[in-house]
Amino acid sequence: MDRLPTIEDVARAAQVSRQTVSNVLNTPAIVKPATRKRVEVAIRKLAYRPHASARRLRMRKSSTIAIRLDPMTNGISGALLDRFLHALTEQADARGIRVLLFTAADPAAEIEQIRKLRAGADVDAFVLTATFHGDPRTEWLVENDVPFVTFGRPWGANDMNNPRHLWVDVDGFAGMREATVHLIDQGSSRIGFVGWPSLSGTGDDRRRGWQAAVEERLAPGDGDLAALNLSVEDRLEDARDAVMALLESDDRIDGLVCASDTLALGAMIAAASVGRSELPIIGFDNSPVGQAIGLSSVDQTLDEVAGGALELLLGETGGDLVHRDADAGDTRHRLITPHLVIRQPLRLLAPDAGSTPTATKNAVGNHKDGKESQ
Amino acid sequence: MDRLPTIEDVARAAQVSRQTVSNVLNTPAIVKPATRKRVEVAIRKLAYRPHASARRLRMRKSSTIAIRLDPMTNGISGALLDRFLHALTEQADARGIRVLLFTAADPAAEIEQIRKLRAGADVDAFVLTATFHGDPRTEWLVENDVPFVTFGRPWGANDMNNPRHLWVDVDGFAGMREATVHLIDQGSSRIGFVGWPSLSGTGDDRRRGWQAAVEERLAPGDGDLAALNLSVEDRLEDARDAVMALLESDDRIDGLVCASDTLALGAMIAAASVGRSELPIIGFDNSPVGQAIGLSSVDQTLDEVAGGALELLLGETGGDLVHRDADAGDTRHRLITPHLVIRQPLRLLAPDAGSTPTATKNAVGNHKDGKESQ
């Protein structure tokens, strides 16, 4: 064979479907032992490496990866992908790899750009962001054997176990669960969630983290979860209005977790407006703005995300791809656990004028002492 | 001549110094008519084009420009260069040009990166940001005949008229002057300035804009300018503390202009903390955060900056480079006038809890009606 073996070659040699080979690679436990054995023999015989195309990357000349840069979005959490780009550029540079930027108005245009960049041999591999269910870009990249990695899960069942779809993502479920548990540990017992309408995999994942913590630790009553669950667009004003209405209708609420720092800042404004500036609020993304105003937030550890993306792409993870546990040593996917950053909030929203900012006791970290409600 | 003529060739042919040729190109009015004539003849005879190297860019193969991306900075105005990068990538893409990113810890490392990228013929030209007085990078680029453009003036006397140093910058003086005049037109008569310590050309330029407006329109008393002029690092807390002290010591202050949105947000917090949430405040940079909270601000029109940088680099400006007025049709430098964006502030800092956010009358645009001070 004068080319590297593909997953199809393995399937043909083992007389199984492509999906079965994929299952052996990803979830060997669900494959019948005899079939698994046959596939593993074929893999070894053909010296098939799921990462072959990615591994070739090291030998290519351009040493360049490309990523789409979208028009600037406004808002507070909007800079997340910029921060990822900074981390990616820095870590790529440390490996002697350049980052090339391009723009594209939609997925079809992005595919066309990728095609051109590949044709010109200017770019070895691609980093994709903002993945979504049924994403045509990743499908095209797999079909055309273009090395790529996504920041974001496929959010669809089929690609989840595709060994040719490398991805890194942040475990929003775990992050929001930790934030909620933190508030419970600090004394909160009725915690609202401010998230986005149920459209995005990312947003729903974060919502489930809040829900899991509340169900595990607080034993909510009938209808409580629905009553405490806000869905608004990622705009400060929308969050402010929704939270203000919630706080006015329910004075027992003693904590809020939010799917973004934008929403959290809106929530802070709402809380101050109804005389509840002490209300503990935690955001998500650990944005520069959140840092500036002392907002507690879930940090996506973008350095880890960028490092993970490059490691997967460059095949730096090593390890035997066949004989491994399904949950450990995964060299194709990386789900990173974010970490909670707790801050003393700036006395941004001050209903009592005149006192010095350093005298505040409304920090999330110590609200057990100074809490007024309940 | 088997190469494109240089400024030195023109100087030799006209028997003048290189500086004189530069003067003829940039400030012809200061050159004696006879000398000017001689230089213009040499320029025409040699068919010298100051932009020769940049014009060559069109013919080169890589169609790639490179820009350094620094590690992420925190803060609110810190995303300015990210927003410039978005605009640059979008406008470059529209011209079929790619943007390549690299990192560098200091100017020497940046020069080394540029040298490598040029050696590999991967990059046709460079965009530099954060220029400073005595910048070794631009000196090196000029010496090595590498096409480049800077976002930022040289801030030094010598390079100002160097036809080989293309630059685009934003007229901070004009922007801050306009912001100050706006407050005066709206009724303010004692306007403070919150800026950075006098180290940066950019910051001093903005400070002079405030000062000019105050001197022209308000006839300040002895010591007033000094008393109203705050210098703090670009940190929200620092601005908050300094502005709080200023407002507590001087209750006649009825307006603030700030060198950045970070400083302006700190000023807003300070104003609210001393019961002055109606105080009109204008920032600089029109940051996403400022937009989210309804802060009035001076917008740097980064689309124009990016477009201008590319036009200069690609020699798209056209026109006769010799016979032109010194102030009009400059094809090497572009000083862009920013524009003031006036917003109704979100009722972010609400001393009176409970009223609806839309009912506020504290907007900059109409503070003549609702002003309490004076």
Side-chain angles (χ1 to χ4, degrees), chain B residues 168-181:
Chain B
V168 181
D169 204 359
V170 171
D171 191 345
F173 174 91
M176 201 51 94
R177 195 181 166 286
E178 186 189 356
T180 311
V181 165

Side-chain angles (χ1 to χ4, degrees), chain B residues 13-229:
Chain B
Q15 294 182 291
V16 297
S17 71
R18 197 191 132 130
Q19 184 59 49
T20 302
V21 180
S22 173
N23 289 344
V24 170
L25 291 166
N26 295 285
T27 48
I30 68 164
V31 182
K32 271 188 277 183
T35 310
R36 194 164 99 190
K37 183 88 189 163
R38 209 161 73 232
V39 171
E40 287 175 1
V41 168
I43 284 172
R44 245 171 279 136
K45 207 168 113 189
L46 293 170
Y48 169 67
R49 304 286 282 174
H51 274 306
S53 60
R55 285 179 199 284
R56 279 201 300 272
L57 197 55
R58 291 181 187 167
M59 270 74 82
R60 295 211 26 175
K61 274 184 71 182
S62 80
S63 294
T64 302
I65 58 176
I67 184 169
R68 190 188 84 212
L69 191 70
D70 288 330
M72 193 67 204
T73 52
N74 291 327
I76 288 151
S77 304
L80 184 85
L81 291 178
D82 286 340
R83 290 158 60 208
F84 172 65
L85 182 63
H86 281 268
L88 184 72
T89 302
E90 199 163 11
Q91 302 213 19
D93 204 82
R95 291 165 167 87
I97 292 169
R98 314 289 179 187
V99 177
L100 192 76
L101 303 177
F102 63 93
T103 64
D106 54 45
E110 186 169 359
I111 290 171
E112 181 55 22
Q113 286 271 32
I114 291 172
R115 202 190 54 70
K116 275 191 210 161
L117 287 167
R118 283 290 287 179
D122 296 324
V123 173
D124 293 333
F126 294 84
V127 179
L128 278 75
T129 57
T131 49
F132 54 92
H133 181 64
D135 199 326
R137 303 171 302 168
T138 50
E139 202 179 307
W140 186 90
L141 289 161
V142 167
E143 270 171 22
N144 288 272
D145 205 23
V146 177
F148 73 99
V149 62
T150 62
F151 173 18
R153 273 164 275 188
W155 296 118
N158 293 342
D159 287 342
M160 219 36 200
N161 291 322
N162 188 331
R164 297 165 80 193
H165 183 165
L166 313 178
W167 59 257
V168 181
D169 204 359
V170 171
D171 191 345
F173 174 91
M176 201 51 94
R177 195 181 166 286
E178 186 189 356
T180 311
V181 165
H182 173 84
L183 291 186
I184 295 168
D185 286 345
Q186 296 289 315
S188 295
S189 62
R190 191 167 175 83
I191 300 168
F193 175 79
V194 189
W196 307 309
S198 188
L199 289 167
S200 76
T202 307
D204 293 347
D205 197 42
R206 294 179 191 175
R207 175 173 280 114
R208 281 191 294 271
W210 158 75
Q211 186 174 336
V214 168
E215 285 175 345
E216 286 162 22
R217 298 282 301 269
L218 295 176
D222 281 357
D224 271 0
L225 281 173
L228 294 168
N229 179 359

Side-chain angles (χ1 to χ4, degrees), chain A residues 17-32:
Chain A
S17 71
R18 198 191 133 131
Q19 185 58 49
T20 302
V21 181
S22 173
N23 290 342
V24 170
L25 291 166
N26 295 284
T27 46
I30 68 165
V31 183
K32 271 187 275 182

Side-chain angles (χ1 to χ4, degrees), chain A residues 50-200:
Chain A
H51 274 307
S53 58
R55 286 181 197 282
R56 278 202 300 273
L57 198 55
R58 292 183 186 164
M59 268 73 82
R60 294 209 29 170
K61 273 185 73 182
S62 81
S63 293
T64 302
I65 58 176
I67 184 168
R68 190 187 84 212
L69 190 69
D70 288 329
M72 192 68 203
T73 52
N74 291 327
I76 288 151
S77 303
L80 184 84
L81 290 178
D82 286 341
R83 290 158 59 209
F84 172 65
L85 182 64
H86 280 268
L88 184 71
T89 303
E90 199 163 9
Q91 301 213 18
D93 204 83
R95 291 166 167 87
I97 292 169
R98 313 290 180 186
V99 176
L100 191 75
L101 301 177
F102 64 93
T103 64
D106 54 44
E110 185 169 359
I111 290 171
E112 181 56 22
Q113 287 270 33
I114 292 172
R115 204 190 52 73
K116 275 191 212 161
L117 288 167
R118 283 291 288 180
D122 296 324
V123 174
D124 294 333
F126 295 83
V127 178
L128 277 75
T129 57
T131 49
F132 53 93
H133 181 64
D135 198 327
R137 303 171 302 168
T138 50
E139 201 177 307
W140 186 91
L141 288 160
V142 167
E143 269 172 22
N144 289 271
D145 205 22
V146 177
F148 74 98
V149 62
T150 63
F151 173 16
R153 273 163 275 187
W155 295 116
N158 293 341
D159 286 344
M160 216 42 200
N161 291 321
N162 188 330
R164 297 166 81 193
H165 183 165
L166 312 177
W167 59 258
V168 181
D169 205 357
V170 172
D171 191 345
F173 175 90
M176 201 52 93
R177 195 181 166 287
E178 186 189 356
T180 310
V181 165
H182 174 83
L183 291 186
I184 296 169
D185 286 344
Q186 296 290 315
S188 295
S189 60
R190 191 167 175 82
I191 301 168
F193 174 78
V194 189
W196 308 309
S198 188
L199 289 167
S200 76

